[in-house]
């Protein structure tokens, strides 16, 4: 359906692709992977003809419809969310728009003299609209929006009043409703909660077209894709299998390449040693010459490319008392909406509590109450003795000073620390020696999240409260964070929609329900096994 034939592409001075080739066939579900800046978005833009390769060609079979979801959703306003989703449904939305115009024309007294002509056209368009399933479109659009977490009120309200994250969901809904022959999805799992993510997995599992997508959620990728295309160093390499298989295969390939490289290096050293020893002896001249020629012809094996691996180790956190956070008889409401009515909860030392609950259940509110960002209407929230709190809030990234560099931000936070320690901290969170001079305003969402983590974890608290810490983080950074937090000795209370993160770090589950908190000892994996569901309200 889509072929990339020997494409070469340069962005400024940087070669993004060098004679790269790959293909996407009907029914294939492909994960596009590679380090940040490798060219994933450029590849999407070349397929949609927003950019052209400098050499080679991108071939899309005649008549194949392509739907592209990107993080840049553009302006939306003046329509309901349902209308906005239906507007992107391909030919049927154009036919629907003409039908609406003809309905208006039929009711317009100024066009009475054209009544017969309008009626005839109306009949044709109406038949076409019915043939394309237009009358079922509204209910299908609502079904998609419901799966993506919209209430009826949000579906019918002005799309312009929604936040950026919800507009992303509308843009995604538009592509899903369109059901094109090929879907290109750039980070569709961003901005989705756990319930919507699981719904989307089911939807894409039942989609019979071809799919090419990127995602920072390895669990999501694993369940959907049957092939991986890796972009690395300008080359496209295809692996058959899911993300887990790709990781194993990549590690195996690296191991083989390293062994080949080492064998060749040993052989080259031996040959060079012989040449150096005997090049001055006339009796060995022919042998020396023969070996020099042999070395010239040898195709050199390159060592495997080493991805920059992030690593951060916690200095030990001071010990807290046994009771870390105690909520007693807590009441909280927003307007007429009751969030908590007499909530009791005790978080104990070394517990890693993950908080689950449907949209609006009060997950972020619980974290705000514990951190003192929000006051209860009644009841008490008490932190235990010697508790030192660290809070990663969803809005924390907006609080960074855009005019300051990464290094200045760290220096202001820790004025007594030496330059070496701060540069080492920045490096551990993926900021190279050049990148520490970037101003905060130009940082990507992932870079801002990493900087906020560095600020929070350098002088470690013994009680970490994290609200969606993995949003914007790529797979490698999540891996680093999981490794660092696995070795963390303190207490954690966190919300995340990343199942790999939940399973790796939790040892207690707090499920928020209208009847109160259901508590489960054991982590997220045990919760899934015991309840038969991956998220509240959804059954496996």
């Amino acid at each position: 359906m889509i072929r990339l034939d020997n494409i070469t592409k340069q962005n400024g001075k940087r070669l993004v692709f060098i004679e790269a080739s790959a293909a996407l066939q009907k029914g294939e579900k492909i994960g596009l992977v590679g380090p940040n800046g490798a060219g994933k978005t450029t590849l999407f833009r070349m397929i949609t003809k927003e950019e052209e390769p400098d050499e080679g060609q991108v071939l899309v079979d005649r008549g194949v419809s392509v739907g592209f979801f990107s993080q840049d959703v553009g302006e939306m306003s003046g329509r309901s969310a349902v209308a906005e989703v239906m507007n992107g449904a391909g030919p049927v939305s154009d036919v629907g728009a003409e039908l609406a115009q003809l309905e208006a024309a039929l009711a317009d007294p100024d066009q009475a003299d054209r009544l017969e002509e309008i009626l005839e056209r109306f009949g044709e368009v109406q038949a076409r609209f019915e043939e394309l399933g237009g009358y079922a479109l509204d209910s299908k659009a609502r079904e998609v929006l419901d799966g993506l977490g919209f209430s009826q009120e949000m579906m019918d309200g002005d799309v312009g009043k929604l936040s950026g994250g919800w507009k992303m969901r509308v843009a995604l809904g538009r592509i899903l409703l369109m059901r094109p022959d090929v879907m290109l999805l750039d980070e569709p799992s961003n901005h989705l909660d756990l319930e919507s993510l699981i719904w989307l997995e089911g939807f894409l599992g039942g989609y019979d077209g071809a799919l090419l997508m990127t995602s920072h959620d390895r669990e999501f990728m694993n369940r959907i894709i049957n092939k991986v295309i890796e972009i690395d160093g300008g080359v496209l390499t295809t692996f058959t299998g899911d993300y887990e298989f790709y990781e194993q295969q990549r590690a195996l390939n690296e191991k083989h390449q390293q062994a080949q490289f080492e064998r060749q290096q040993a052989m080259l050293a031996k040959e060079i040693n012989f040449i150096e020893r005997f090049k001055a002896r006339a009796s060995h001249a022919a042998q020396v010459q023969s070996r020099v020629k042999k070395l010239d012809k040898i195709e050199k094996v390159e060592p495997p490319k080493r991805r920059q691996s992030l690593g951060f180790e916690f200095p030990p956190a001071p010990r807290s008392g046994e009771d870390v956070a105690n909520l007693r008889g807590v009441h909280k409401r927003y307007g007429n909406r009751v969030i908590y009515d007499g909530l009791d909860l005790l978080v104990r030392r070394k517990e890693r509590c993950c908080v689950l609950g449907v949209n609006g259940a009060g997950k972020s509110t619980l974290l705000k109450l514990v951190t003192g960002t929000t006051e209860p209407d009644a009841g008490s929230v008490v932190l235990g003795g010697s508790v030192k709190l660290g809070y990663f809030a969803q809005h924390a990234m907006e609080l960074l000073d855009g005019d300051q560099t990464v290094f200045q931000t760290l220096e202001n936070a820790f004025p007594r620390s030496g330059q070496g320690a701060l540069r080492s901290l920045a490096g551990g969170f993926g900021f190279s020696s050049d990148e520490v001079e970037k101003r905060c305003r130009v940082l990507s969402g992932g870079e801002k999240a990493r900087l906020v983590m560095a600020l929070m974890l350098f002088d470690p608290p013994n009680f970490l409260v994290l609200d969606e810490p993995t949003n914007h983080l790529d797979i490698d950074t999540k891996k680093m964070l999981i490794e660092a937090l696995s070795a963390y000795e303190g207490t954690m209370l966190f919300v995340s929609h990343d199942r790999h993160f939940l399973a790796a770090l939790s040892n207690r589950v707090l499920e928020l329900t209208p009847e109160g908190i259901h508590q489960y000892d054991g982590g997220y994996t045990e919760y899934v096994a015991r309840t038969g569901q991956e998220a509240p309200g959804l059954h496996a």
Side-chain angles (χ1 to χ4, degrees):
M1 295 178 95
I2 294 176
R3 272 204 344 271
L4 306 164
D5 256 356
N6 285 318
I7 56 167
T8 295
K9 178 74 177 172
Q10 194 162 338
N11 280 347
K13 291 182 179 176
R14 195 167 65 87
L15 263 173
V16 186
F17 295 106
I18 308 156
E19 295 181 354
S21 297
L24 175 62
Q25 309 294 353
K26 185 169 171 56
E28 285 185 332
K29 294 184 170 134
I30 298 180
L32 186 61
V33 305
N36 277 341
K40 298 188 285 289
T41 302
T42 303
L43 188 68
F44 282 138
R45 291 173 67 85
M46 285 195 289
I47 294 172
T48 57
K49 306 294 183 192
E50 288 173 63
E51 287 188 35
E52 292 292 332
D54 300 331
E55 289 172 33
Q57 49 188 343
V58 178
L59 302 164
V60 179
D61 287 352
R62 190 186 298 278
V64 165
S65 58
V66 177
F68 177 35
F69 167 75
S70 78
Q71 295 294 301
D72 182 15
V73 298
E75 273 305 302
M76 287 183 195
S77 65
R79 267 197 285 242
S80 69
V82 171
E84 192 67 50
V85 166
M86 285 165 63
N87 187 49
V92 66
S93 64
D94 299 334
V95 177
E98 189 182 347
L99 196 62
Q101 285 171 352
L102 290 165
E103 279 173 354
L106 284 172
D108 184 356
D110 293 343
Q111 299 197 48
D113 54 336
R114 292 180 57 231
L115 191 61
E116 208 169 303
E117 178 198 334
I118 294 168
L119 269 171
E120 189 181 338
R121 180 64 187 152
F122 184 81
E124 292 167 7
V125 173
Q126 192 176 38
R128 178 72 179 135
F129 189 65
E130 202 164 332
E131 185 189 321
L132 289 169
Y135 288 108
L137 203 60
D138 182 87
S139 64
K140 282 182 182 171
R142 288 177 187 278
E143 202 179 304
V144 166
L145 286 171
D146 180 59
L148 292 174
F150 284 76
S151 64
Q152 289 298 325
E153 196 183 341
M154 289 168 79
M155 290 181 202
D156 294 314
D158 180 359
V159 72
K161 291 183 178 162
L162 296 175
S163 69
W166 285 98
K167 283 180 181 170
M168 288 266 185
R169 296 190 195 204
V170 171
L172 178 59
R174 203 187 285 155
I175 305 295
L176 301 182
L177 182 67
M178 179 183 170
R179 284 189 94 98
D181 300 319
V182 176
M183 271 193 216
L184 308 177
L185 304 180
D186 193 4
E187 295 295 345
S189 50
N190 272 6
H191 303 287
L192 294 185
D193 52 40
L194 194 46
E195 293 79 15
S196 307
L197 205 53
I198 293 165
W199 176 86
L200 181 58
E201 269 169 19
F203 185 97
L204 293 176
Y207 166 65
D208 53 8
L211 171 68
L212 181 66
M213 72 167 189
T214 62
S215 174
H216 290 156
D217 188 321
R218 60 186 294 150
E219 195 65 40
F220 178 69
M221 284 260 259
N222 244 349
R223 295 181 186 206
I224 293 166
I225 63 173
N226 50 30
K227 212 168 184 180
V228 169
I229 292 177
E230 178 193 61
I231 309 179
D232 201 1
V235 178
L236 294 174
T237 311
T238 302
F239 298 79
T240 301
D242 60 15
Y243 185 81
E244 211 162 291
F245 173 80
Y246 151 74
E247 274 206 319
Q248 290 164 358
Q249 198 57 45
R250 192 178 193 283
L252 206 59
N253 292 355
E254 274 188 5
K255 200 175 167 184
H256 287 165
Q257 195 174 341
Q258 184 66 31
Q260 262 185 304
F261 172 72
E262 284 169 8
R263 277 198 302 274
Q264 191 183 68
Q265 289 299 303
M267 182 272 289
L268 291 174
K270 199 172 162 189
E271 294 294 314
I272 289 163
N273 190 30
F274 180 91
I275 292 164
E276 288 300 317
R277 272 181 67 197
F278 297 111
K279 67 182 177 186
R281 296 190 194 176
S283 59
H284 286 73
Q287 281 173 290
V288 167
Q289 206 53 42
S290 152
R291 293 193 183 203
V292 167
K293 280 181 184 168
K294 181 180 150 189
L295 286 189
D296 285 343
K297 286 180 187 167
I298 282 176
E299 194 173 324
K300 298 282 193 294
V301 175
E302 295 293 326
K305 290 191 195 84
R306 294 284 177 221
R307 295 257 177 108
Q308 180 197 8
S309 79
L310 305 177
F312 174 73
E313 287 179 15
F314 282 92
R319 186 186 166 116
S320 71
E322 287 304 311
D323 292 355
V324 174
N326 199 346
L327 288 77
R328 284 281 166 263
V330 167
H331 292 259
K332 185 68 187 173
R333 63 164 61 215
Y334 292 115
N336 294 327
R337 199 158 67 90
V338 175
I339 309 291
Y340 295 118
D341 184 12
L343 167 74
D344 292 331
L345 173 68
L346 175 63
V347 178
R348 295 178 295 270
R349 191 172 79 84
K350 285 206 165 188
E351 283 186 333
R352 296 153 173 261
C353 305
C354 72
V355 184
L356 302 180
V358 297
N359 249 337
K363 298 187 291 289
S364 290
T365 302
L366 177 62
L367 269 49
K368 286 175 182 171
L369 285 165
V370 167
T371 55
T373 324
T374 290
E375 292 295 320
D377 300 331
S380 64
V381 179
V382 178
L383 292 187
S386 308
V387 167
K388 184 180 172 195
L389 183 73
Y391 178 34
F392 181 94
Q394 288 191 48
H395 66 273
M397 297 182 293
E398 297 157 25
L399 303 178
L400 294 169
D401 184 339
D403 292 328
Q404 293 203 329
T405 65
V406 169
F407 192 75
Q408 285 169 337
T409 305
L410 295 174
E411 214 171 22
N412 288 348
F414 311 111
R416 292 182 182 176
S417 296
Q419 286 226 355
L422 294 181
R423 285 190 182 277
S424 163
L425 171 67
F429 281 86
F431 294 102
S432 66
S433 49
D434 293 342
E435 287 173 328
V436 293
E437 298 310 325
K438 273 186 177 178
R439 297 208 181 276
C440 290
R441 78 161 73 84
V442 303
L443 297 180
S444 67
E447 287 170 326
K448 285 180 179 171
R450 294 203 312 260
L451 179 54
V452 171
M453 297 264 174
L455 290 167
M456 185 175 64
L457 301 178
F458 182 55
D459 180 16
N462 52 28
F463 182 30
L464 276 179
V465 179
L466 310 172
D467 195 357
E468 293 289 5
T470 58
N471 274 1
H472 306 290
L473 297 185
D474 60 32
I475 288 176
D476 288 339
T477 311
K478 280 185 196 176
K479 191 176 168 188
M480 175 276 283
L481 188 61
I482 287 170
E483 282 170 7
L485 291 175
S486 296
Y488 172 64
E489 291 286 311
T491 307
M492 286 170 62
L493 177 68
F494 63 98
V495 173
S496 174
H497 66 249
D498 189 295
R499 284 158 293 179
H500 184 60
F501 190 85
L502 289 169
L505 294 171
S506 58
N507 61 20
R508 188 179 174 204
V509 174
L510 307 175
E511 183 187 351
L512 305 182
T513 74
E515 299 81 51
I517 288 193
H518 292 172
Q519 304 187 35
Y520 299 84
D521 288 327
Y524 177 72
T525 307
E526 288 85 349
Y527 165 82
V528 174
R530 282 172 65 187
T531 63
Q533 61 188 35
E534 291 192 292
L538 285 182
H539 293 274

